[in-house]
Amino acid sequence: MKKIILLTLSGLVVACLSSGVMAKLPDLTPEAKEAAELAKAKAAHGDKKAAFALCNAQNKVARAYAVKDKVVTTPECADPGEFKPPVAADAAPKKPPEVAAVTPKAPEAPKK
């Protein structure tokens, strides 16, 4: 019994001490942020496609089990269409910086 208590306490001490050793991860690079945004957008589009398929399946079942004398109205399903990757704010065309007009100086006459 003493061995179990000793092992448990030593495990707790090690866990408490090791939590201070954990470091913060560095910030994501711009490329990694873009990849994460693209993956997030693809997942959201996949969810929309799944919801569209579910809506169609529910409408099909509702029509199949409808009473012959009763008209069944089902909601319209919104087709998400093809996946279009999001346009990054940095990808927008940037306006070139304005350059001040510089007038060339006339060459000075040589002194004699």
Side-chain angles (χ1 to χ4, degrees):
M1 184 70 173
K2 289 182 181 180
K3 287 182 182 179
I4 294 174
I5 294 173
L6 182 63
L7 285 174
T8 305
L9 288 176
S10 63
L12 288 173
V13 168
V14 169
C16 290
L17 293 177
S18 66
S19 65
V21 177
M22 294 182 191
K24 181 183 173 194
L25 293 174
D27 292 334
L28 294 176
T29 61
E31 293 83 18
K33 286 181 184 178
E34 286 181 21
E37 288 294 322
L38 181 63
K40 188 180 185 182
K42 281 184 180 180
H45 184 71
D47 291 343
K48 289 177 187 176
K49 285 177 70 173
F52 176 66
L54 177 64
C55 180
N56 284 334
Q58 288 174 338
N59 288 347
K60 183 179 177 183
V61 170
R63 285 189 300 270
Y65 286 100
V67 179
K68 291 183 181 183
D69 298 334
K70 190 174 182 182
V71 176
V72 176
T73 58
T74 56
E76 284 292 319
C77 301
D79 186 8
E82 293 296 318
F83 174 71
K84 295 176 185 166
V87 178
D90 296 338
K94 292 184 179 179
K95 190 175 172 182
E98 293 185 21
V99 179
V102 179
T103 56
K105 291 184 177 181
E108 294 180 17
K111 294 182 180 180
K112 293 185 181 180

